[in-house]
């Protein structure tokens, strides 16, 4: 009999209604866990404060400190409520912190946290703060203190893409210091307001002030935005970022700016559109910091619309007043191309040449510069900004109704059209066309900034331009500046003939005719003056169907009797048989190879030279009469001095001889004999004086010796 009879007996069943011991233990532990979670959620998990700080520090890669009361909720609406939150910045960025916020409520979803841990951009469900101070720093190597967490291996971090995105961002008061060495930005932003997915309508929006520097351009702006949420989108989400109202007003450098429109993703891939008004003292002061080649100009006032997306700016200027010029245009500045490119169309009712004076080396802007045109000189000496020609490319069609030279002595050009192209430092004006006084001007110019010094070439053709209508200074009573200047050549010729036959002397031109000619010259230099001082090439001009003032003809020949007769009967214009001016420029000295004006009364020849190097004049005018005159003191007329101060004189040696001869005959043979040396027989050329074969030999009329520089 076994000593323990119950050893092999089956176990007794548990009493009905009781759990097995392991299940009871598990249930108890679960209950305790639930109770702990409930207590933790109710009390805000005070025991997790330090572990949470350590976890956040590890995840961010920089110290994170929780200050004051801390309330953490992990289950229902995960969030952290803390009296103060401070996120440190790396030592190399040399700022006290990245973020310092007071009265903070930070909410998230665990799905966003998981995706962030997988390498995606951090999305914060909401961030609310009574006060927020952010110090954003990006160094030249592209690293930024807001790039939190360990970077992925073999991956270059994208500082903009690593900015967190917010569902809601709300603050009563905020300050952002943004120092970005990559974009050359040093801005301080004071902002307050609220925005985000959970805030809409009148409650959404920000009021901010910007002060500091953007790419060497001082800024002071007041900004009102319906929301800044889309301004913080990363590059991938920028295209879908919603538009928000944006109004910007303030100063940009020395200019005043007003923008009223909408914007999206300004810190990612920006988008911007709205109305703009921009006023300033010069376009160049605006373009230089932005890498846009704009000319030096007088004060400007621009009104229009602007659009920007993905690095492409489009400006539609309904009205652009620059000095006295009235312009408009549709221009695209594309920064996606390397180098950036400006294209589009520039139009306008009026362009005053004086408003481009600073751009082509004339006066304007800062006249105290050392290279401004010195006293006593006429040609502009201000140096071009040649390096800026390599900062960008351009292809712009220009269509200007009127180009005004700024003087009543010269009629404006009408219908000016050209194509402005800038590529690789070479500026070209192709297909240049304009009309004036019934005729036309066509050609092209080029300035190559790659050459040292810069090389300039111009090719221009003149066709059927009425001289009296264009050069109003040739008239004794020129028309007012507002007089129309675009008549047909046939109409102008008919009017001249009618005036000549009817004796109309109301408006008398010293020289008329239809101008034809060509200019093909080149030069080199750093200013307009330097280029003209090195000018080389031919200039050919002819007049057809013209007239020449009879009085002016006799005055140039010092024919007293003829001049008195003209004064008595009136200055009837003399028909021109021909007028031709062939000149050659060599190293800045322009000399005529053939310069002759031939009328029914006289032949006038011009020799000598004009030096564009020192602006000196050394010209000699010789008049040969075709008819008999009883009282002529004809002697060559000289033009000397400078372009700024021309001096007109006569060659006295020959004149004195004729006068002395007249006096001697008068003493010896009586007063009547004294007139014999003063009588001019006159002669008519057998060949056309305007042909090259008829050009006088250099010994006939030697030019005066020019002034030395």
């Amino acid at each position: 009999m076994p000593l323990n009879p119950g050893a092999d007996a089956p176990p007794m069943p548990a009493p009905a209604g009781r759990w097995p011991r392991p299940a009871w233990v598990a249930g108890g532990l679960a209950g305790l866990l639930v109770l702990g979670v409930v207590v933790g959620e109710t009390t805000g998990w005070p025991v997790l404060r330090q572990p949470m700080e350590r976890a956040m520090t590890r995840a961010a890669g920089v110290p994170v400190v929780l200050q004051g009361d801390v309330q953490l909720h992990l289950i229902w609406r995960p969030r952290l409520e803390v009296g103060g939150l401070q996120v440190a910045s790396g030592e190399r960025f040399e700022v006290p912190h990245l973020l310092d916020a007071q009265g903070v409520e930070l909410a998230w979803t665990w799905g966003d946290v998981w995706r962030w841990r997988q390498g995606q951009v951090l999305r914060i469900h909401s961030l609310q703060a009574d006060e927020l101070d952010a110090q954003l720093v990006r160094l030249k190597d592209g690293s930024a203190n807001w790039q939190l967490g360990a970077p992925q291996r073999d991956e270059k971090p994208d500082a903009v893409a690593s900015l967190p995105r917010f569902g809601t961002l709300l603050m009563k008061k905020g300050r952002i210091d943004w120092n970005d060495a990559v974009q050359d930005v040093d801005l301080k932003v004071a902002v307050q307001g609220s925005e985000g997915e959970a805030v809409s309508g009148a409650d959404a929006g920000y009021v901010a002030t910007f002060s500091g520097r953007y790419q060497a351009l001082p800024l002071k702006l007041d900004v009102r935005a319906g929301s800044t949420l889309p301004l913080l989108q990363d590059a991938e989400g920028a295209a879908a970022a919603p538009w928000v109202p944006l109004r910007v007003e303030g100063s940009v450098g020395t200019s005043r700016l007003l923008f009223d429109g909408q914007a999206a993703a300004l810190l990612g891939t920006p988008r911007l559109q709205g109305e703009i008004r921009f006023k300033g003292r010069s376009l160049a002061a605006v373009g230089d910091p932005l890498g846009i080649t704009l000319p030096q100009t007088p004060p400007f006032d621009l009104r229009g619309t602007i659009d920007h997306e993905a690095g492409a700016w489009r400006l539609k200027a309904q009205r652009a007043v620059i000095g006295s010029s009235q312009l408009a245009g549709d221009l695209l500045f594309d920064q996606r191309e390397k180098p950036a490119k400006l294209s589009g169309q520039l139009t306008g009712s009026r362009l005053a040449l004086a408003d481009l004076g600073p751009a082509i080396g004339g006066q304007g802007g800062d006249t105290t510069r050392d290279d401004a045109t010195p006293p006593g000189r006429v040609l502009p000496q201000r140096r071009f900004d040649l390096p800026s020609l390599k900062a960008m490319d351009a292809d712009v069609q220009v269509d200007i109704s009127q180009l005004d030279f700024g003087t009543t002595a010269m009629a404006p050009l009408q219908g000016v059209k050209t194509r402005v192209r800038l590529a690789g430092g070479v500026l070209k004006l192709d297909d240049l066309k304009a009309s004036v006084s019934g005729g036309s001007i066509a050609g092209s110019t080029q300035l190559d900034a790659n050459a040292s010094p810069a090389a300039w070439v111009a090719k221009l053709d003149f066709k059927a331009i009425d001289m009296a209508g264009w050069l109003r200074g040739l008239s004794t009573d020129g028309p007012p500046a507002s007089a129309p200047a675009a008549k047909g050549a046939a109409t102008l010729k008919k009017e001249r003939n009618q005036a000549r036959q009817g004796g109309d002397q109301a408006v008398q031109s010293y020289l008329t005719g239809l101008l034809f000619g060509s200019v093909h010259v080149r030069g080199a230099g750093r200013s307009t003056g330097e280029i003209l001082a090195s000018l080389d090439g031919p200039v050919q001009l002819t007049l057809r169907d013209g007239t020449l003032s009879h009085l002016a003809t006799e005055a140039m020949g010092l024919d007293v009797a003829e001049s008195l007769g003209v004064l008595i009967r009136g200055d009837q214009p003399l028909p021109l048989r021909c007028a031709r001016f062939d000149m050659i420029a060599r190293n800045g000295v322009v000399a005529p190879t053939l310069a002759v004006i031939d009328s029914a009364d006289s032949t006038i020849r011009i020799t000598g030279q004009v030096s564009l190097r020192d602006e000196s004049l050394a010209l000699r005018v010789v008049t040969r009469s075709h008819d008999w005159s009883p009282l002529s003191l004809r002697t060559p007329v000289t033009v000397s001095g400078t372009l700024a101060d021309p001096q007109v004189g006569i060659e006295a040696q020959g004149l004195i001889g004729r006068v002395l001869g007249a006096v001697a005959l008068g003493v010896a043979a009586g007063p009547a004999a004294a007139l014999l040396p003063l009588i001019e027989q006159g002669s008519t050329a057998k060949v056309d004086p305007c042909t090259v074969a008829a050009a006088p030999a250099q010994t006939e009329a030697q030019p005066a010796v020019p002034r030395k520089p």
Side-chain angles (χ1 to χ4, degrees):
M1 181 174 188
L3 295 178
N4 188 5
D8 297 328
M12 297 292 293
R18 297 182 61 184
W19 290 356
R21 181 172 296 180
W24 180 84
V25 173
L29 293 175
L32 290 174
L33 181 60
V34 170
L35 179 61
V37 170
V38 171
V39 172
E41 288 290 303
T42 303
T43 60
W45 298 101
V47 297
L48 295 181
R49 176 171 181 158
Q50 291 185 353
M52 184 168 50
E53 281 187 345
R54 291 193 294 268
M56 295 173 70
T57 297
R58 287 194 302 269
V62 293
V64 178
V65 179
L66 304 179
Q67 302 168 333
D69 294 334
V70 177
Q71 293 288 321
L72 176 64
H73 303 279
L74 301 174
I75 305 301
W76 176 251
R77 292 176 52 223
R79 63 192 184 280
L80 172 66
E81 298 173 4
V82 60
L85 171 65
Q86 188 175 82
V87 181
S89 177
E91 293 183 1
R92 60 194 298 252
F93 299 103
E94 299 181 351
V95 290
H97 55 260
L98 168 63
L99 181 69
D100 188 358
Q102 303 298 317
V104 179
E105 180 179 320
L106 180 67
W108 67 91
T109 67
W110 292 113
D112 289 335
V113 173
W114 184 83
R115 283 185 287 273
W116 176 52
R117 297 295 295 172
Q118 299 302 310
Q120 296 187 22
V121 176
L122 174 63
R123 184 183 185 277
I124 298 174
H125 182 71
S126 70
L127 173 61
Q128 302 181 33
D130 294 336
E131 294 186 18
L132 186 145
D133 182 10
Q135 306 279 330
L136 306 179
V137 179
R138 179 157 58 162
L139 304 179
K140 290 184 178 180
D141 62 4
S143 60
N145 67 341
W146 62 78
Q147 293 171 306
L148 301 178
Q152 297 292 327
R153 244 181 222 184
D154 302 327
E155 259 185 47
K156 187 177 181 180
D158 186 339
V160 173
S162 63
L163 282 168
R165 291 188 290 172
F166 295 88
T168 299
L169 176 62
L170 186 151
M171 70 186 76
K172 294 181 180 178
K173 183 178 180 181
R175 174 185 173 87
I176 302 173
D177 285 0
W178 180 20
N179 193 312
D180 192 331
V182 175
Q183 296 190 28
D184 191 19
V185 175
D186 187 2
L187 283 178
K188 297 185 184 300
V189 184
V191 59
Q192 62 182 20
S194 61
E195 54 99 356
E197 297 168 354
V199 183
S200 60
D203 296 331
Y206 276 83
V207 177
T209 60
F210 289 73
S211 60
R213 174 182 55 79
Y214 179 82
Q215 296 184 354
L217 199 63
L219 295 179
K220 190 173 183 180
L221 301 173
D222 294 325
V223 179
R224 291 182 177 271
S227 170
T228 57
L229 170 62
L231 310 186
L232 299 175
Q233 294 288 334
D234 64 336
E236 293 181 359
W243 292 102
V244 297
L246 179 67
R247 179 182 175 88
V248 180
E249 186 173 6
S251 62
V252 180
T254 58
S255 306
R256 295 289 301 176
L257 171 68
L258 173 61
F259 172 83
D260 193 356
Q262 55 186 359
L266 288 185
L267 295 182
T269 305
R271 292 190 293 154
L272 189 75
Q273 60 180 218
E275 296 182 357
I276 187 172
R277 181 173 183 182
F278 208 14
K279 301 175 63 176
R281 66 183 185 186
S282 174
L283 287 174
V286 179
D288 288 347
L290 301 177
I292 305 175
T293 303
L294 298 177
Q296 289 282 352
T297 66
F300 67 91
D301 186 350
L302 184 150
R303 301 183 185 187
T305 61
I306 191 168
D307 291 90
H308 176 253
E309 185 165 0
W313 295 84
R314 183 169 188 178
L315 172 66
K316 294 183 178 180
Q318 286 87 18
R319 179 173 178 266
V321 178
I322 304 174
S324 60
S325 301
Q326 303 283 341
L327 303 175
D330 186 351
L331 301 172
L332 176 67
F333 182 63
D334 195 342
Q335 294 175 304
R336 296 170 297 185
E337 298 192 26
K338 299 299 180 184
K341 184 175 182 179
L342 178 69
S343 59
Q345 187 176 36
L346 178 66
T347 61
S349 59
R350 181 176 186 270
L351 175 61
L353 191 63
D355 297 332
L356 293 180
I360 60 175
Q363 294 294 337
D366 182 9
T367 58
T368 63
R369 282 176 46 175
D370 294 338
D371 58 352
T373 303
R377 301 293 290 266
V378 174
L379 302 179
Q381 302 296 324
R382 188 182 301 277
R383 292 183 177 179
F384 305 131
D385 183 13
L386 296 176
S388 67
L389 295 180
K390 302 179 183 180
M392 57 173 274
D393 289 346
D395 190 350
V396 178
Q397 295 287 344
V398 177
D399 189 349
I400 305 296
S401 299
Q402 185 181 89
L403 176 61
D404 195 334
F405 293 98
T407 172
T408 58
M410 181 178 291
L413 300 182
Q414 307 290 334
V416 180
K417 297 182 180 181
T418 187
R419 180 183 180 186
V420 180
R421 291 193 296 170
L422 175 60
V426 180
L427 176 63
K428 296 181 179 180
L429 271 65
D430 292 331
D431 303 323
L432 176 62
K433 298 178 181 178
S435 61
V436 61
S437 194
S440 64
I441 299 175
S444 64
T445 67
Q446 175 179 305
L447 179 65
D448 186 354
N450 298 303
S452 182
W456 178 76
V457 178
K459 298 179 181 179
L460 297 174
D461 292 317
F462 306 89
K463 292 184 179 179
I465 300 176
D466 181 73
M467 286 288 291
W470 184 23
L471 302 179
R472 295 164 172 168
L474 295 175
S475 301
T476 58
D477 185 15
S482 59
K487 294 182 179 180
T491 302
L492 291 166
K493 182 178 179 181
K494 181 179 179 181
E495 290 178 355
R496 287 198 305 272
N497 292 334
Q498 290 174 347
R500 187 183 310 158
Q501 295 169 3
D504 184 0
Q505 300 298 319
V507 177
Q508 179 63 58
S509 294
Y510 295 116
L511 180 66
T512 70
L514 299 181
L515 176 67
F516 295 80
S518 64
V519 175
H520 186 185
V521 293
R522 64 183 65 244
R526 297 167 295 179
S527 68
T528 301
E530 289 185 9
I531 288 175
L532 293 178
S534 62
L535 203 66
D536 284 296
V539 178
Q540 295 179 334
L541 303 172
T542 60
L543 278 177
R544 301 178 186 173
D545 301 320
T547 65
L548 181 65
S549 165
H550 195 172
L551 180 61
T553 301
E554 304 305 340
M556 283 187 287
L558 299 182
D559 192 327
V560 179
E562 288 281 3
S563 298
L564 290 174
V566 172
L567 287 174
I568 293 172
R569 66 178 181 268
D571 185 11
Q572 296 291 339
L574 298 172
L576 286 179
R577 297 196 298 187
C578 69
R580 178 171 174 175
F581 302 88
D582 289 359
M583 295 168 282
I584 190 73
R586 291 188 178 92
N587 200 23
V589 177
V590 182
T593 57
L594 176 61
V596 59
I597 302 174
D598 186 52
S599 68
D601 180 82
S602 304
T603 299
I604 301 171
R605 297 184 183 275
I606 304 172
T607 57
Q609 65 183 36
V610 176
S611 174
L612 301 178
R613 302 177 66 84
D614 60 3
E615 302 187 13
S616 64
L617 300 172
L619 298 174
R620 188 170 186 262
V621 182
V622 178
T623 303
R624 294 284 183 262
S625 178
H626 295 329
D627 55 9
W628 177 87
S629 176
L631 185 58
S632 175
L633 300 177
R634 292 194 189 274
T635 190
V637 175
T638 61
V639 181
S640 58
T642 66
L643 294 176
D645 185 22
Q647 304 292 325
V648 179
I650 60 174
E651 290 187 1
Q653 183 176 0
L655 180 60
I656 291 174
R658 298 182 69 179
V659 172
L660 291 177
V663 172
L665 283 175
V667 171
L675 297 178
L676 293 177
L678 304 180
I679 295 175
E680 185 167 12
Q681 297 296 326
S683 63
T684 302
K686 297 181 179 180
V687 297
D688 185 352
C690 291
T691 60
V692 177
Q698 290 298 316
T699 56
E700 178 183 339
Q702 288 292 342
V705 178
R707 290 194 317 135
K708 294 184 178 180

